[in-house]
Amino acid sequence: MITSYLQFQQRTFYLGAAIGAILALTSCSNAPEHEKTPAPVKKEWLKEIPKTPAEPILKPIAPEPIAATPLSINENVKNFVHKMVTLHHFNERELTQLLESAVIKEDILKRIAAPSESLPWHKYRKIFLTDARIDGGVKFWHDNLDALTRVSQETGVPAEIIVAIIGVETGYGKNMGNHRVLDALATLAFAYPPRSAFFTGELEQFLLLCQDEKLNPRDPLGSYAGAMGYPQFMPSSFRTLAKDFDHDTHRDIWHNPRDAIASVANYFTHNNWQRGQPIAIPATAQGLEYKSVINKNLKPDMTIERLAQLSVKPTESVHTNVIVKLLAFEQLEGEDLWLGFTNFYVITRYNHSPLYALAAYQLSQEIKQRKTF
């Protein structure tokens, strides 16, 4: 239904555009070009982004050759506008105009339906454990050594973990996403029913974020899911956990890696990172009894002593009363077993996939071993 609707909208758009172009040429050869999006709404929190001496906090977005259709102002959208007006005192006309400038993107709907976390471990790992990403992590660490050292000392979150998270998320800022956050969140809030409630909430938080930070909601760029900046924070995480490391009144996770570093560490401390404690260790097993205790709940729930009764042994010495989570990761032949401690669980609060957490942890160790400073 979504694809058919998009195709119909595209055919209508192209036919109208062609007719319009012919009429324009016959009437006035010097007619000025019009922008593809409506003019910005005149409101304090929709003004252009304040500039620093170096550059704007956010760069203007470039047009994207992606199948899209304007957001229809249907009952769901009207209900959302009513909520924002009633609860947060937004201007109804201006907010409606803003949402009318959002577009529903077909490629976002395709991406959300096929996340990387659906891959088996032996394929997923290859995406992130590469020489380029390891070397990039060493360089990022070197370039931001002072900030990483200070933040790590203050929070207890190891520098290599912070670096690895930013490496997994955006390749150290090289791939922060090229979708307007407004479009991504509107698409998933109003055209993706399975997670509409979640993304409607994130759209609400995004608009409040723009109000807080005095950003134009049409400008911020992010992933297909609306995640933003070096650490790919969702709007709700940005509002509660993003940090202004430099105390320059901007929490700029798009262009300031120091703000991003502090924000990642704050995310982990907020989720109860344990200073100086282990993250994960490999394990071995005899027989298949262990399979009865592997499930989707990622929180540590079993002692080393209990796992020993299932013929599971850690590859390193661990006290028998320590609580861990037994996790299995699919290889081409068989599977790898790992024991996740509380800090492993904390990483899964960043992304609820054990594949993600293990990739980030292993990348952090590779980066730490390769650095020479």
Side-chain angles (χ1 to χ4, degrees):
M1 289 293 293
I2 291 171
T3 302
S4 298
Y5 175 73
L6 289 170
Q7 291 172 342
F8 172 76
Q9 291 290 331
Q10 288 174 314
R11 287 196 295 270
T12 304
F13 172 79
Y14 294 142
L15 178 59
I19 294 171
I22 293 170
L23 292 174
L25 289 172
T26 57
S27 62
C28 180
S29 60
N30 295 320
E33 294 185 2
H34 295 283
E35 297 196 356
K36 295 183 178 180
T37 56
V41 179
K42 301 298 184 182
K43 187 174 179 181
E44 177 63 26
W45 55 275
L46 294 180
K47 287 183 178 179
E48 290 192 8
I49 298 158
K51 299 178 183 294
T52 64
E55 61 178 338
I57 292 178
L58 298 173
K59 297 177 181 178
I61 86 166
E64 295 178 278
I66 296 172
T69 187
L71 174 67
S72 298
I73 305 300
N74 57 28
E75 284 304 309
N76 290 336
V77 179
K78 290 179 180 178
N79 290 338
F80 176 77
V81 171
H82 177 73
K83 176 182 179 180
M84 298 301 292
V85 170
T86 304
L87 189 61
H88 303 297
H89 310 294
F90 279 65
N91 180 282
E92 181 176 0
R93 180 183 61 82
E94 293 173 345
L95 181 55
T96 300
Q97 288 179 345
L98 173 67
L99 293 175
E100 285 175 341
S101 74
V103 293
I104 303 299
K105 292 191 172 182
E106 185 177 8
D107 70 317
I108 289 176
L109 297 172
K110 290 179 179 179
R111 289 284 303 277
I112 198 72
S116 299
E117 283 75 13
S118 62
L119 295 172
W121 169 242
H122 61 88
K123 291 184 178 180
Y124 185 91
R125 184 183 189 278
K126 291 179 181 179
I127 299 173
F128 302 107
L129 272 293
T130 65
D131 284 339
R133 206 176 295 258
I134 296 167
D135 289 339
V138 173
K139 183 178 186 304
F140 183 85
W141 195 341
H142 180 271
D143 292 345
N144 298 281
L145 181 59
D146 291 344
L148 283 162
T149 300
R150 175 177 152 188
V151 168
S152 181
Q153 290 174 347
E154 291 178 355
T155 65
V157 182
E160 64 268 20
I161 291 293
I162 300 171
V163 173
I165 291 295
I166 293 174
V168 169
E169 290 292 340
T170 60
Y172 315 104
K174 293 179 180 177
N175 183 22
M176 300 187 204
N178 60 359
H179 293 283
R180 291 198 312 178
V181 175
L182 176 65
D183 294 337
L185 295 177
T187 295
L188 296 171
F190 303 120
Y192 187 65
R195 299 196 67 190
S196 176
F198 172 79
F199 285 105
T200 300
E202 290 299 329
L203 179 58
E204 175 185 0
Q205 293 298 312
F206 173 67
L207 295 175
L208 293 171
L209 178 164
C210 291
Q211 194 175 62
D212 296 341
E213 301 292 324
K214 295 181 173 56
L215 305 177
N216 185 330
R218 293 181 176 86
D219 287 344
L221 300 180
S223 75
Y224 70 90
M228 306 172 296
Y230 278 91
Q232 293 291 275
F233 271 15
M234 294 300 291
S236 58
S237 295
F238 184 108
R239 290 197 73 216
T240 57
L241 300 173
K243 301 290 287 184
D244 175 14
F245 179 86
D246 295 327
H247 303 293
D248 60 1
T249 73
H250 295 300
R251 294 181 292 176
D252 179 11
I253 62 173
W254 288 271
H255 293 93
N256 188 337
R258 297 174 299 282
D259 284 359
I261 288 165
S263 298
V264 170
N266 192 45
Y267 194 105
F268 284 127
T269 56
H270 177 78
N271 283 281
N272 301 313
W273 183 270
Q274 297 185 349
R275 182 189 291 265
Q277 295 303 304
I279 298 172
I281 58 173
T284 60
Q286 294 182 348
L288 300 176
E289 288 184 86
Y290 71 88
K291 289 185 176 292
S292 64
V293 298
I294 292 179
N295 55 48
K296 294 183 179 180
N297 179 12
L298 297 173
K299 197 166 187 177
D301 58 3
M302 194 165 293
T303 64
I304 298 295
E305 183 179 24
R306 170 61 182 135
L307 287 173
Q309 296 172 2
L310 300 173
S311 300
V312 176
K313 295 182 179 180
T315 58
E316 301 175 20
S317 178
V318 182
H319 194 281
T320 57
N321 291 330
V322 170
I323 307 294
V324 296
K325 183 66 184 180
L326 178 63
L327 300 160
F329 296 86
E330 181 184 352
Q331 292 286 21
L332 278 172
E333 295 184 7
E335 55 190 8
D336 292 344
L337 296 180
W338 283 77
L339 302 180
F341 297 85
T342 297
N343 282 343
F344 187 89
Y345 177 73
V346 172
I347 297 176
T348 67
R349 301 308 86 197
Y350 206 97
N351 180 313
H352 291 187
S353 166
L355 301 179
Y356 175 96
L358 188 58
Y361 172 64
Q362 290 190 358
L363 177 62
S364 76
Q365 299 309 291
E366 293 290 341
I367 293 170
K368 184 179 180 180
Q369 290 178 14
R370 193 168 296 188
K371 82 177 186 71
T372 57
F373 48 89

